Amino acid sequence: MSDSNAFQPKVVVLGAGSLFFGRQSIWQMVHSPYLNNGTLALVDTDEDRLARMVNLAKAVAKENGVPLKVEGSTNRRDVLKGADFVVLSFAEDTVKYRGIDCQVSLNYGIRMCSGDTIGPGGIFRAMRELPVILACAKDIEELCPDAWVINYINPSTVHGIALSRYAPQLKSFALCDGHHMPHVKANYAVRAGIIADPSDFNAEIDRRFDFRVAGVNHFTWLIKAEYEGKDVASMIAEAMRKAAGTETNGGDTGAKALFNDSITYQLYDIFGYIPTCTAHTKEYVRYWQGLGKTKDAIPPLSIWETDERYKRHEEMWKQVDGFLSGELPISGYMQSFGPDHATDIIENMVGNLGKRFFINTLNDGAVSNMNDDAFLELLSEVSMEGIKPLHVGEMPRGIRGMQELVLDTHELTAEAVAERSFVKLRRAMMTDPLVNSIHDADMIIKELLEQEKDVLPKYWYE
């Protein structure tokens, strides 16, 4: 498989109109010699968006002189046959419904800055997306049962658990872009003072830097950070303490980005370990919910900003349309984007390149004091033969207890949706770490079921 012409992979993207992944997938499929002689099949239920993405992919492939075949369909069954990889990257009007989730929850004292993985927002997003994911799994089992299924939809852990449990015959794993290797390790090497700039990161630095991250997706922690045998975690934490109040490192300049380094250092000061996905982790714990009787140094979480998200999406579509109209030269496309986590992993698997990536998968002994079937984000060896998580060691006490509570919430959510069980839906909500009142939780469920009636499955109303 080292010969880039030996295998012509077919990659199917379900949800090609996703601005989060669709544009980036085109970049890697064109750029990689292991992928650009294959097929990129784009699927979206929105005909207009699908046509724009298909035309964009064809134009970029033509401009760069690669033989990539581009297909498009509004019906996934039309293109699934022969797929080697199926990437799930869709969401039903996610900006709107995350806004509803966050506002209704706020009315009952629950603050969510992202609202798509924990709290009522995470539970209801799974209720919207997971039924479609499981329907996709049935089609994949029928039409391309040997394909690798990559979930790229939040809540990543809920959906990953569901695929592993309810579609065990399929080869699947789940992804989040926050720990894209080698970039994430290079950034921590800078914070540790090992290198001055991420561009200085190389194979020798990589070998000497023992960097171990583990935990439930969006609730991951730096368990070990040693360079040439010396602990550098305190140096990383100090760098983040110095940056506190000046940074917006949550992936944007909105609610997810506020006070992240301050919160990171405060959690490190308490637990002795560094959270690595603070933009989300601050939503997984109750400390910034505004429930304290005295004033905290860090204010309560800001709320997901629906209008700002719509504006950002509009700007992204303007860029796509600019490339299509010629207002932006198509020759500049490859300079406008870069490698994506999912397609980086696909390239690695097709080319048998031996790289390691952070994958959401079954623990399988990597974290020695958590169950083998715990669904965690772990550095793994990834090949066409399978996923092998690398040894981490023990999850620290305190952090481990919070991990288990989050896992129970996610597992109950997956069970509630797959089994269509209102009893387990309510149980998942009561287990969730952000819920503080039974009656409030019942009211949140009632109001969200009513406000999202047009997009949730009918069985919740029978």
Side-chain angles (χ1 to χ4, degrees), residues 120-156:
I123 293 171
F124 269 77
R125 181 164 186 184
M127 290 166 64
R128 296 191 297 270
E129 315 294 359
L130 183 51
V132 185
I133 290 172
L134 294 177
C136 290
K138 288 184 178 179
D139 287 344
I140 293 166
E141 183 181 5
E142 176 188 345
L143 299 171
C144 51
D146 294 327
W148 278 94
V149 183
I150 303 174
N151 175 71
Y152 220 163
I153 307 170
N154 280 325
S156 191

Side-chain angles (χ1 to χ4, degrees), residues 246-427:
T246 64
E247 97 303 335
T248 54
N249 66 334
D252 53 49
T253 58
K256 285 174 62 179
L258 295 174
F259 301 104
N260 286 345
D261 282 350
S262 300
I263 289 171
T264 298
Y265 187 79
Q266 195 167 57
L267 289 173
Y268 168 76
D269 186 52
I270 295 165
F271 292 102
Y273 294 87
I274 296 169
T276 62
C277 193
T278 306
H280 284 280
T281 292
K282 64 187 180 184
E283 190 180 56
Y284 274 59
V285 293
R286 58 196 179 278
Y287 313 127
W288 294 281
Q289 287 293 311
L291 302 176
K293 300 300 183 184
T294 57
K295 188 176 181 180
D296 235 326
I298 300 171
L301 296 183
S302 296
I303 306 302
W304 164 266
E305 55 290 301
T306 301
D307 291 341
E308 288 301 315
R309 291 287 173 149
Y310 276 126
K311 290 176 184 176
R312 287 177 58 190
H313 284 205
E314 287 173 10
E315 290 300 316
M316 292 177 187
W317 277 115
K318 284 181 182 178
Q319 183 191 41
V320 169
D321 292 337
F323 283 120
L324 291 173
S325 68
E327 180 182 348
L328 298 174
I330 199 70
S331 58
Y333 188 89
M334 299 303 284
Q335 285 72 52
S336 300
F337 297 96
D340 165 81
H341 197 185
T343 43
D344 248 5
I345 291 171
I346 292 171
E347 178 191 49
N348 174 73
M349 295 173 76
V350 171
N352 197 25
L353 303 181
K355 297 179 182 179
R356 296 172 171 180
F357 294 92
F358 281 98
I359 303 290
N360 288 280
T361 187
L362 299 174
N363 177 35
D364 197 23
V367 177
S368 54
N369 61 342
M370 295 184 72
N371 291 343
D372 284 350
D373 65 351
F375 206 84
L376 303 176
E377 189 160 4
L378 300 163
L379 188 63
S380 306
E381 294 176 350
V382 190
S383 71
M384 295 296 280
E385 283 66 50
I387 309 296
K388 182 183 178 182
L390 302 178
H391 177 71
V392 175
E394 290 194 350
M395 185 68 68
R397 189 169 297 281
I399 294 174
R400 187 185 70 174
M402 293 188 291
Q403 295 280 321
E404 297 289 2
L405 182 62
V406 168
L407 274 173
D408 275 3
T409 302
H410 288 336
E411 291 191 15
L412 283 167
T413 301
E415 292 173 9
V417 176
E419 299 171 18
R420 304 181 178 187
S421 168
F422 185 85
V423 169
K424 286 194 173 180
L425 165 61
R426 189 168 183 252
R427 191 174 299 162

Side-chain angles (χ1 to χ4, degrees), residues 36-182:
N36 63 21
N37 63 341
T39 300
L40 175 62
L42 303 174
V43 178
D44 202 283
T45 54
D46 187 312
E47 292 186 21
D48 175 63
R49 290 185 175 184
L50 174 67
R52 289 149 83 183
M53 296 303 289
V54 168
N55 290 336
L56 180 62
K58 288 180 176 178
V60 175
K62 182 179 179 181
E63 172 66 24
N64 288 273
V66 299
L68 179 69
K69 182 180 178 183
V70 180
E71 299 177 354
S73 177
T74 55
N75 186 341
R76 61 181 179 263
R77 292 182 61 87
D78 292 343
V79 298
L80 280 175
K81 190 172 182 180
D84 299 292
F85 300 90
V86 182
V87 181
L88 309 177
S89 183
F90 52 79
E92 181 69 29
D93 207 353
T94 184
V95 174
K96 172 183 175 181
Y97 289 106
R98 284 166 75 179
I100 292 172
D101 291 339
C102 290
Q103 187 55 57
V104 169
S105 299
L106 181 62
N107 292 340
Y108 293 93
I110 294 177
R111 307 182 70 88
M112 296 184 294
C113 59
S114 183
D116 65 345
T117 49
I118 199 68
I123 293 171
F124 269 77
R125 181 164 186 184
M127 290 166 64
R128 296 191 297 270
E129 315 294 359
L130 183 51
V132 185
I133 290 172
L134 294 177
C136 290
K138 288 184 178 179
D139 287 344
I140 293 166
E141 183 181 5
E142 176 188 345
L143 299 171
C144 51
D146 294 327
W148 278 94
V149 183
I150 303 174
N151 175 71
Y152 220 163
I153 307 170
N154 280 325
S156 191
T157 302
V158 175
H159 298 153
I161 288 169
L163 283 168
S164 67
R165 185 177 298 179
Y166 301 108
Q169 70 285 351
L170 296 177
K171 299 175 293 187
S172 69
F173 58 88
L175 286 185
C176 182
D177 65 330
H179 289 113
H180 189 183
M181 289 285 275

